[in-house]
PDB file of all heavy atoms in Angstrom:
ATOM      1  N   ARG A 229     -49.332-145.108  -6.557  1.00  0.00           N
ATOM      2  CA  ARG A 229     -48.674-143.951  -5.920  1.00  0.00           C
ATOM      3  C   ARG A 229     -49.572-142.714  -5.894  1.00  0.00           C
ATOM      4  O   ARG A 229     -49.192-141.741  -5.314  1.00  0.00           O
ATOM      5  CB  ARG A 229     -47.359-143.648  -6.668  1.00  0.00           C
ATOM      6  CG  ARG A 229     -46.322-144.768  -6.577  1.00  0.00           C
ATOM      7  CD  ARG A 229     -45.010-144.322  -7.216  1.00  0.00           C
ATOM      8  NE  ARG A 229     -45.083-144.269  -8.653  1.00  0.00           N
ATOM      9  CZ  ARG A 229     -44.817-145.261  -9.486  1.00  0.00           C
ATOM     10  NH1 ARG A 229     -44.438-146.412  -8.971  1.00  0.00           N
ATOM     11  NH2 ARG A 229     -44.872-145.105 -10.777  1.00  0.00           N
ATOM     12  N   ARG A 230     -50.731-142.810  -6.544  1.00  0.00           N
ATOM     13  CA  ARG A 230     -51.566-141.610  -6.657  1.00  0.00           C
ATOM     14  C   ARG A 230     -52.963-141.761  -6.056  1.00  0.00           C
ATOM     15  O   ARG A 230     -53.681-140.798  -5.943  1.00  0.00           O
ATOM     16  CB  ARG A 230     -51.700-141.258  -8.165  1.00  0.00           C
ATOM     17  CG  ARG A 230     -50.367-140.984  -8.831  1.00  0.00           C
ATOM     18  CD  ARG A 230     -50.599-140.747 -10.347  1.00  0.00           C
ATOM     19  NE  ARG A 230     -49.363-140.541 -11.029  1.00  0.00           N
ATOM     20  CZ  ARG A 230     -49.214-140.371 -12.321  1.00  0.00           C
ATOM     21  NH1 ARG A 230     -50.321-140.350 -13.080  1.00  0.00           N
ATOM     22  NH2 ARG A 230     -48.025-140.221 -12.876  1.00  0.00           N
ATOM     23  N   ILE A 231     -53.362-142.976  -5.731  1.00  0.00           N
ATOM     24  CA  ILE A 231     -54.719-143.164  -5.275  1.00  0.00           C
ATOM     25  C   ILE A 231     -54.689-143.678  -3.837  1.00  0.00           C
ATOM     26  O   ILE A 231     -53.752-144.339  -3.393  1.00  0.00           O
ATOM     27  CB  ILE A 231     -55.434-144.186  -6.152  1.00  0.00           C
ATOM     28  CG1 ILE A 231     -56.927-144.282  -5.826  1.00  0.00           C
ATOM     29  CG2 ILE A 231     -54.805-145.606  -6.031  1.00  0.00           C
ATOM     30  CD1 ILE A 231     -57.714-145.168  -6.798  1.00  0.00           C
ATOM     31  N   SER A 232     -55.716-143.354  -3.095  1.00  0.00           N
ATOM     32  CA  SER A 232     -55.847-143.810  -1.713  1.00  0.00           C
ATOM     33  C   SER A 232     -56.112-145.321  -1.702  1.00  0.00           C
ATOM     34  O   SER A 232     -57.041-145.795  -2.337  1.00  0.00           O
ATOM     35  CB  SER A 232     -57.012-143.124  -1.034  1.00  0.00           C
ATOM     36  OG  SER A 232     -57.383-143.790   0.141  1.00  0.00           O
ATOM     37  N   PRO A 233     -55.245-146.121  -1.004  1.00  0.00           N
ATOM     38  CA  PRO A 233     -55.434-147.543  -0.964  1.00  0.00           C
ATOM     39  C   PRO A 233     -56.794-147.923  -0.402  1.00  0.00           C
ATOM     40  O   PRO A 233     -57.440-148.866  -0.831  1.00  0.00           O
ATOM     41  CB  PRO A 233     -54.289-148.053  -0.086  1.00  0.00           C
ATOM     42  CG  PRO A 233     -53.250-146.977  -0.191  1.00  0.00           C
ATOM     43  CD  PRO A 233     -53.978-145.711  -0.355  1.00  0.00           C
ATOM     44  N   THR A 234     -57.254-147.141   0.581  1.00  0.00           N
ATOM     45  CA  THR A 234     -58.530-147.430   1.189  1.00  0.00           C
ATOM     46  C   THR A 234     -59.699-147.283   0.232  1.00  0.00           C
ATOM     47  O   THR A 234     -60.595-148.136   0.106  1.00  0.00           O
ATOM     48  CB  THR A 234     -58.775-146.497   2.406  1.00  0.00           C
ATOM     49  OG1 THR A 234     -57.743-146.674   3.366  1.00  0.00           O
ATOM     50  CG2 THR A 234     -60.110-146.797   3.081  1.00  0.00           C
ATOM     51  N   VAL A 235     -59.655-146.202  -0.543  1.00  0.00           N
ATOM     52  CA  VAL A 235     -60.705-145.967  -1.544  1.00  0.00           C
ATOM     53  C   VAL A 235     -60.707-147.043  -2.610  1.00  0.00           C
ATOM     54  O   VAL A 235     -61.746-147.586  -3.013  1.00  0.00           O
ATOM     55  CB  VAL A 235     -60.535-144.581  -2.199  1.00  0.00           C
ATOM     56  CG1 VAL A 235     -61.478-144.411  -3.377  1.00  0.00           C
ATOM     57  CG2 VAL A 235     -60.753-143.495  -1.183  1.00  0.00           C
ATOM     58  N   PHE A 236     -59.530-147.416  -3.057  1.00  0.00           N
ATOM     59  CA  PHE A 236     -59.379-148.422  -4.080  1.00  0.00           C
ATOM     60  C   PHE A 236     -59.901-149.778  -3.579  1.00  0.00           C
ATOM     61  O   PHE A 236     -60.625-150.489  -4.303  1.00  0.00           O
ATOM     62  CB  PHE A 236     -57.945-148.551  -4.571  1.00  0.00           C
ATOM     63  CG  PHE A 236     -57.780-149.502  -5.706  1.00  0.00           C
ATOM     64  CD1 PHE A 236     -57.890-149.032  -7.013  1.00  0.00           C
ATOM     65  CD2 PHE A 236     -57.514-150.844  -5.526  1.00  0.00           C
ATOM     66  CE1 PHE A 236     -57.760-149.876  -8.096  1.00  0.00           C
ATOM     67  CE2 PHE A 236     -57.384-151.724  -6.587  1.00  0.00           C
ATOM     68  CZ  PHE A 236     -57.493-151.222  -7.899  1.00  0.00           C
ATOM     69  N   LYS A 237     -59.570-150.156  -2.376  1.00  0.00           N
ATOM     70  CA  LYS A 237     -59.983-151.435  -1.826  1.00  0.00           C
ATOM     71  C   LYS A 237     -61.525-151.496  -1.650  1.00  0.00           C
ATOM     72  O   LYS A 237     -62.144-152.534  -1.913  1.00  0.00           O
ATOM     73  CB  LYS A 237     -59.316-151.737  -0.481  1.00  0.00           C
ATOM     74  CG  LYS A 237     -57.796-152.101  -0.665  1.00  0.00           C
ATOM     75  CD  LYS A 237     -57.189-152.464   0.641  1.00  0.00           C
ATOM     76  CE  LYS A 237     -55.727-152.893   0.441  1.00  0.00           C
ATOM     77  NZ  LYS A 237     -55.070-153.236   1.685  1.00  0.00           N
ATOM     78  N   VAL A 238     -62.122-150.376  -1.251  1.00  0.00           N
ATOM     79  CA  VAL A 238     -63.560-150.341  -1.109  1.00  0.00           C
ATOM     80  C   VAL A 238     -64.209-150.550  -2.467  1.00  0.00           C
ATOM     81  O   VAL A 238     -65.168-151.357  -2.619  1.00  0.00           O
ATOM     82  CB  VAL A 238     -64.042-149.039  -0.463  1.00  0.00           C
ATOM     83  CG1 VAL A 238     -65.572-148.893  -0.605  1.00  0.00           C
ATOM     84  CG2 VAL A 238     -63.620-148.938   0.989  1.00  0.00           C
ATOM     85  N   ALA A 239     -63.730-149.866  -3.484  1.00  0.00           N
ATOM     86  CA  ALA A 239     -64.260-150.061  -4.847  1.00  0.00           C
ATOM     87  C   ALA A 239     -64.010-151.453  -5.342  1.00  0.00           C
ATOM     88  O   ALA A 239     -64.919-152.040  -5.984  1.00  0.00           O
ATOM     89  CB  ALA A 239     -63.589-149.028  -5.792  1.00  0.00           C
ATOM     90  N   PHE A 240     -62.846-151.985  -5.059  1.00  0.00           N
ATOM     91  CA  PHE A 240     -62.510-153.368  -5.488  1.00  0.00           C
ATOM     92  C   PHE A 240     -63.482-154.382  -4.882  1.00  0.00           C
ATOM     93  O   PHE A 240     -64.077-155.226  -5.597  1.00  0.00           O
ATOM     94  CB  PHE A 240     -61.060-153.657  -5.051  1.00  0.00           C
ATOM     95  CG  PHE A 240     -60.657-155.114  -5.182  1.00  0.00           C
ATOM     96  CD1 PHE A 240     -60.711-155.739  -6.391  1.00  0.00           C
ATOM     97  CD2 PHE A 240     -60.207-155.798  -4.039  1.00  0.00           C
ATOM     98  CE1 PHE A 240     -60.270-157.086  -6.482  1.00  0.00           C
ATOM     99  CE2 PHE A 240     -59.825-157.123  -4.161  1.00  0.00           C
ATOM    100  CZ  PHE A 240     -59.850-157.766  -5.378  1.00  0.00           C
ATOM    101  N   PHE A 241     -63.672-154.333  -3.558  1.00  0.00           N
ATOM    102  CA  PHE A 241     -64.529-155.293  -2.889  1.00  0.00           C
ATOM    103  C   PHE A 241     -66.024-155.079  -3.277  1.00  0.00           C
ATOM    104  O   PHE A 241     -66.762-156.056  -3.363  1.00  0.00           O
ATOM    105  CB  PHE A 241     -64.351-155.249  -1.387  1.00  0.00           C
ATOM    106  CG  PHE A 241     -63.075-155.896  -0.917  1.00  0.00           C
ATOM    107  CD1 PHE A 241     -62.141-155.163  -0.200  1.00  0.00           C
ATOM    108  CD2 PHE A 241     -62.773-157.214  -1.219  1.00  0.00           C
ATOM    109  CE1 PHE A 241     -60.944-155.730   0.231  1.00  0.00           C
ATOM    110  CE2 PHE A 241     -61.593-157.784  -0.787  1.00  0.00           C
ATOM    111  CZ  PHE A 241     -60.673-157.038  -0.071  1.00  0.00           C
TER     112      PHE A 241
END
Side-chain angles (χ1 to χ4, degrees):
R229 295 186 288 269
R230 302 177 183 177
I231 190 173
S232 165
T234 302
V235 172
F236 186 87
K237 286 183 179 180
V238 169
F240 168 60
F241 285 122

